[in-house]
Amino acid sequence: MPIEDIHEFISELEKNGELKRVQTEVDSNLEIAEIMRREMYSDGPAILFENVKDYDMPVLGNAFGSMKRLEIGLEMTDFTEIGKRIADMTKMDVPSGLLNKIKKLPELSKMTASFPKSEVSGPVTEITSTDASFDDLPILKSWPNDAGQFITLGMVATKHPETGVRNLGVYRMQIVDKTHALMHWQKHKRGAHHGDISKDRGEKIPTAIIIGGEPATVFSSIAPVPEGLDKYLFAGITRKEGIKTVKCKTIDLDVPANAEIVLEGYVDPSDIRDEGPFGDHTGYYTPVEPYPTFTLTGIMRRKDPVYVTTVVGKPILEDAYIGKVIERSFLPLIQMFHPEVVDFSMPAAGWFQGFAIISIKKRYPGQAKKVMMGLWGMGQLSLTKMFVVVDEDINVHDINDVIWAITTRADAARDTTIINNAPTDTLDPASPLVNLGSKMGIDATQKTKEEGYNREIQQQVKVDDETKNLVDSKWSDYGL
């Protein structure tokens, strides 16, 4: 059975030696964040802080901060399975005739098993109140120059005002006072798009902030799923079983029934205030910028909730591991649109949105540029700053192999593509304007005559099979 909530996840982490409990009193103001960062930078465990100053609620940090922890939470070791399941669903033929329909039933039942299931109540409805306050939660201040406390791992639930398709996204939220926070949903994110539609209609948008939940739901909230795919369905596809949902009490939204805390309210697109600074995953403080205001109208929570949080800063921290799972899980979807793609990597040091390496099975001149342009047109990959395309013999996960390919197969003038006035990640500290800058593509594939390479292609140095087999057979005799 899939893991149902954070409490089960904590138990599994502890069983596998991936969690430590801290009983010493700790402060949510800077202290917890510094402990979490030190542990992440030294490949430490998840931490459950059981004695938080001024609060009776434990804080869970670094819960997704290793591949092992994500394998436990998502109950798989090959994360490409997730993308393969979506790809298989899109390729499913519509059966004709009774016999063919019967044959398809097992496949159809697998798909329907992933759909969310509406419940009347759940653990998160144990305590409900309209007298809600952010002051009741141990929300962290992470860096000394942060503008205040920030919710950093809140799953922000909205639905498309016209289609009703549900979305979950993780956007930081700066606490202003007991009932107001600033919603940092960047211009290119789906939540911001829902907000823009509501603004055009002169409406506020119902919004819920979900703290804690099934690991698959947390992952789904961060994953950049294809447009129009319900995030709750994506969570079910990830865990091979639909999640349970309940209705909010003060707004018309569904939320995971097994969550720890749900903060209900609305975002007012016309109530814009200055947000930031905040020490972000680029390793820099993002400057003060205007963002809309969230107003808290109610709370649902468990009797014994755990406050789940994360810290960001210069890589490599917890978000790097979640990003690696996203990279693996979306490879099959990239290959659906670009079948020449062999592998794909977004190194954590490039904060994922900054740099990507793609290997391809090259068949014709200019194919590397075709792949770059295609990927720059795909969803959140449109914000990727730099692409390097290499041949299939290069390991995209070995940066030394990639550097070798760049320096031996790319000519700076011929193989570098610069695109000006292109959309960039809001958090990019180098772009000349917020959300607008340039992109670079490097074609590090072996060039052909058609691509202007008129020299003889030099032969790679490789050991011959006879010598290789000889050394293999005598290796144990060398005493090495």
Side-chain angles (χ1 to χ4, degrees):
M1 293 290 289
I3 292 174
E4 291 294 334
D5 58 23
I6 285 295
H7 298 267
E8 282 189 19
F9 187 35
I10 288 170
S11 296
E12 289 299 315
L13 291 176
E14 203 157 25
K15 266 191 249 176
N16 286 273
E18 288 285 328
L19 178 133
K20 286 193 176 174
R21 295 172 183 264
V22 172
Q23 296 176 336
T24 302
E25 184 181 76
V26 290
D27 199 326
S28 59
N29 180 38
L30 298 177
E31 184 180 2
I32 289 179
E34 175 61 8
I35 296 168
M36 288 171 61
R37 285 192 296 269
R38 289 190 187 189
E39 285 298 294
M40 278 305 309
Y41 285 135
S42 60
D43 298 321
I47 311 171
L48 186 64
F49 299 96
E50 298 182 310
N51 184 5
V52 182
K53 182 181 177 182
D54 298 328
Y55 298 96
D56 59 1
M57 192 180 298
V59 170
L60 177 65
N62 298 351
F64 304 97
S66 75
M67 298 310 290
K68 176 67 173 175
R69 277 168 245 165
L70 284 156
E71 287 172 3
I72 293 168
L74 300 178
E75 298 177 289
M76 66 181 77
T77 55
D78 180 5
F79 298 111
T80 60
E81 281 183 33
I82 300 168
K84 287 173 184 172
R85 289 172 202 160
I86 298 174
D88 289 345
M89 286 170 63
T90 63
K91 294 173 186 174
M92 191 177 290
D93 296 327
V94 178
S96 60
L98 181 60
L99 184 59
N100 286 331
K101 287 178 181 176
I102 292 170
K103 287 179 181 176
K104 282 283 184 182
L105 281 176
E107 291 178 54
L108 293 169
S109 65
K110 282 181 190 175
M111 187 170 74
T112 56
S114 300
F115 280 87
K117 303 167 180 65
S118 181
E119 304 283 340
V120 175
S121 62
V124 78
T125 62
E126 288 174 347
I127 296 176
T128 63
S129 174
T130 55
D131 183 23
S133 170
F134 289 120
D135 291 347
D136 297 332
L137 304 178
I139 301 168
L140 304 192
K141 181 177 179 180
S142 296
W143 294 99
N145 293 333
D146 282 356
Q149 297 169 287
F150 283 81
I151 296 174
T152 53
L153 197 53
M155 297 177 275
V156 178
T158 56
K159 63 181 178 182
H160 194 291
E162 294 167 353
T163 67
V165 173
R166 295 170 293 194
N167 186 60
L168 290 174
V170 173
Y171 319 118
R172 74 181 192 232
M173 296 178 65
Q174 178 186 326
I175 306 305
V176 177
D177 56 36
K178 291 183 177 182
T179 57
H180 295 94
L182 302 179
M183 182 66 73
H184 189 275
W185 49 31
Q186 298 163 37
K187 186 174 287 293
H188 311 102
K189 304 297 184 182
R190 208 158 292 167
H193 178 52
H194 293 176
D196 287 344
I197 296 171
S198 296
K199 183 178 181 179
D200 292 342
R201 294 160 61 137
E203 299 171 352
K204 300 167 184 174
I205 183 162
T207 308
I209 292 83
I210 301 146
I211 308 290
E214 302 98 341
T217 305
V218 177
F219 168 70
S220 299
S221 67
I222 300 169
V225 306
E227 184 68 46
L229 178 57
D230 186 294
K231 281 287 188 94
Y232 293 168
L233 172 58
F234 183 78
I237 293 168
T238 300
R239 69 200 297 267
K240 295 196 281 191
E241 183 177 311
I243 69 167
K244 296 172 183 175
T245 65
V246 292
K247 290 284 186 186
C248 288
K249 303 301 180 184
T250 63
I251 54 174
D252 181 23
L253 280 180
D254 303 313
V255 291
N258 293 336
E260 299 297 298
I261 303 160
V262 172
L263 303 165
E264 303 178 11
Y266 59 85
V267 171
D268 185 349
S270 65
D271 184 359
I272 304 295
R273 311 187 196 187
D274 283 343
E275 191 263 7
F278 175 75
D280 220 315
H281 68 270
T282 59
Y284 292 88
Y285 285 99
T286 49
V288 175
E289 292 175 334
Y291 278 92
T293 303
F294 170 85
T295 299
L296 183 63
T297 60
I299 188 170
M300 300 193 297
R301 69 174 183 87
R302 292 172 179 250
K303 292 176 184 174
D304 59 343
V306 174
Y307 182 79
V308 186
T309 190
T310 190
V311 291
V312 292
K314 187 177 179 181
I316 296 173
L317 291 169
E318 182 175 17
D319 57 327
Y321 295 96
I322 299 171
K324 185 55 69 173
V325 176
I326 291 171
E327 171 204 288
R328 294 293 85 202
S329 61
F330 280 81
L331 175 60
L333 298 179
I334 289 172
Q335 291 169 327
M336 269 183 66
F337 296 98
H338 302 281
E340 63 266 70
V341 170
V342 176
D343 207 350
F344 178 77
S345 174
M346 301 188 86
W351 42 278
F352 288 94
Q353 206 71 77
F355 184 65
I357 307 155
I358 310 101
S359 60
I360 65 169
K361 190 175 181 66
K362 186 173 175 181
R363 295 185 297 105
Y364 53 82
Q367 194 168 6
K369 288 188 177 66
K370 173 261 186 188
V371 170
M372 288 178 207
M373 300 304 175
L375 294 181
W376 271 322
M378 282 185 70
Q380 290 299 310
L381 287 174
S382 65
L383 304 180
T384 306
K385 190 173 179 177
M386 301 176 189
F387 281 144
V388 174
V389 182
V390 296
D391 292 294
E392 62 181 318
D393 64 326
I394 301 299
N395 180 1
V396 297
H397 307 288
D398 180 348
I399 197 65
N400 292 323
D401 208 19
V402 173
I403 291 170
W404 178 79
I406 293 172
T407 55
T408 61
R409 298 179 183 178
D411 175 76
R414 181 192 62 209
D415 298 323
T416 303
T417 299
I418 303 292
I419 300 175
N420 290 311
N421 296 319
T424 59
D425 191 302
T426 303
L427 303 180
D428 181 359
S431 62
L433 297 172
V434 176
N435 296 317
L436 192 68
S438 61
K439 298 187 180 302
M440 180 171 71
I442 299 175
D443 177 357
T445 61
Q446 178 61 58
K447 300 307 172 302
T448 62
K449 287 186 178 180
E450 293 90 344
E451 293 170 309
Y453 188 80
N454 294 315
R455 299 171 58 187
E456 182 181 345
I457 296 175
Q458 296 177 22
Q459 183 179 2
Q460 281 192 53
V461 289
K462 291 183 179 180
V463 67
D464 61 283
D465 289 340
E466 185 178 349
T467 305
K468 181 181 181 302
N469 293 335
L470 172 68
V471 173
D472 284 347
S473 66
K474 295 176 65 178
W475 188 259
S476 60
D477 299 333
Y478 299 143
L480 298 173

